[in-house]
Amino acid sequence: MLLTPATFIPLIQPEAHDRARTFVFHRGELLLRNATLGLPDPDTVAALWLPPERVHPLGKWEGAYYQLAWLDQPLALDGEHGYHGLRSLFGAVDDGFLGLAGRAFQLAEWARTHRYCGACGTPTRQLTGERCYQCPNCGMSAYPRISPAMMVLIRKGDSVLLAMHTNSPARRYTALAGFLEAGESIEEAIHREVYEEVGLRVHNLRYFGSQSWPFPHSLMIAYTADYLDGEIRVDQAEIADARWFGPDDEWPASPVTVSIAAKLLNAHRPTR
Ligand SMILES: [Zn+2]
């Protein structure tokens, strides 16, 4: 699953280091060596002349110091290197590395999008010892944005409800999911989304797990719930189809294995 490795030590302040490993992003894509999908070597990064204010510490992992930076232009496109979307790396790179890349991407986006105060337009300053850009004029503070989203697998006897979202590129059935609205608890969001998307009511909400999902800055919070009442009535703007899958049905293939959606579905998949 896409998670930061347990042995990773996050750093907010830079530390003295030798030959840092650098995640360089341009418009959401990561600079990698095309042949190995590994980070560029330090000499390649040095040749980019990254402005110091665009370089942020990430942390330490397996004896190496990691940092991140972002670029306006896709530099270092020399045939050996290219910019790769994080989704294209699913299953192609080590999960721990992907977890670090997801974390680095969210910090790079925070740094890229908070150079100016959103309230008064003044250039911001980064506070020492915090992931915070602050406006010297009006005091507005900007921390990395994290957007909570709920995911819920609804159970009814030995069946579960799976839905195909209208915007699902893979046309795949999976658990319901949706972003929280301002003022909502996770539980309120689950009840609202379930009713809006498939017309059902649920109860017995149980926490399943959570996952940072860097597309671009979601926190997926997964639950199970039991069916209470109602007939399936899909919101066709969001859901193409929703139905119950039991032990005798042909279940959909697993979603991308790095996602908590896959873990949630596979935890309930019938064994044959
Ligand atoms: Zn301001």
Side-chain angles (χ1 to χ4, degrees):
M1 205 165 83
L2 199 165
L3 284 177
T4 306
T7 51
F8 173 73
I9 301 164
L11 291 175
I12 290 177
Q13 290 296 107
E15 283 188 4
H17 56 268
D18 187 33
R19 293 182 70 78
R21 313 204 63 208
T22 309
F23 291 92
V24 179
F25 291 93
H26 170 252
R27 293 192 183 167
E29 297 195 320
L30 176 61
L31 180 64
L32 295 173
R33 294 203 304 268
N34 293 329
T36 61
L37 297 179
L39 291 176
D41 68 39
D43 296 332
T44 302
V45 174
L48 299 174
W49 297 102
L50 296 166
E53 70 275 12
R54 290 198 184 182
V55 180
H56 295 260
L58 182 68
K60 293 189 281 194
W61 185 46
E62 295 185 337
Y65 178 93
Y66 287 83
Q67 59 187 13
L68 60 109
W70 60 274
L71 293 171
D72 294 311
Q73 301 297 328
L75 303 178
L77 286 174
D78 53 9
E80 278 184 46
H81 298 86
Y83 288 83
H84 299 256
L86 295 186
R87 286 180 191 273
S88 75
L89 305 179
F90 289 170
V93 299
D94 175 79
D95 277 0
F97 177 81
L98 193 58
L100 258 60
R103 188 180 270 246
F105 167 65
Q106 294 183 65
L107 294 173
E109 278 301 278
W110 160 73
R112 184 179 73 86
T113 57
H114 291 96
R115 287 172 292 159
Y116 298 93
C117 174
C120 75
T122 303
T124 54
R125 290 200 286 251
Q126 195 185 347
L127 297 185
T128 304
E130 279 191 78
R131 297 273 192 206
C132 178
Y133 281 105
Q134 193 170 64
C135 174
N137 182 46
C138 76
M140 190 278 312
S141 297
Y143 295 85
R145 185 188 298 179
I146 299 168
S147 301
M150 72 81 199
M151 175 177 293
V152 62
L153 191 69
I154 305 170
R155 300 183 292 208
K156 182 184 183 186
D158 57 5
S159 297
V160 301
L161 185 106
L162 300 177
M164 187 193 296
H165 291 251
T166 50
N167 60 3
S168 159
R171 306 289 294 164
R172 188 174 278 150
Y173 286 86
T174 186
L176 295 176
F179 285 106
L180 270 69
E181 292 186 354
E184 273 184 334
S185 67
I186 299 164
E187 292 80 3
E188 286 170 330
I190 291 171
H191 289 296
R192 176 183 54 76
E193 285 274 1
V194 167
Y195 190 75
E196 283 176 5
E197 294 197 343
V198 293
L200 303 180
R201 293 198 307 157
V202 294
H203 65 156
N204 297 336
L205 272 51
R206 293 278 181 278
Y207 176 72
F208 178 80
S210 71
Q211 177 183 43
S212 172
W213 192 241
F215 304 102
H217 39 62
S218 299
L219 173 65
M220 305 303 301
I221 306 164
Y223 275 68
T224 60
D226 291 332
Y227 168 82
L228 180 60
D229 60 20
E231 293 294 323
I232 294 174
R233 169 188 50 74
V234 301
D235 171 5
Q236 291 179 337
E238 298 223 5
I239 304 291
D241 186 36
R243 57 189 178 90
W244 299 104
F245 287 77
D248 298 328
D249 292 307
E250 186 68 29
W251 277 48
S254 181
V256 286
T257 55
V258 296
S259 72
I260 197 165
K263 192 176 175 188
L264 180 62
L265 194 53
N266 290 338
H268 295 79
R269 187 180 291 273
T271 50
R272 305 200 178 196

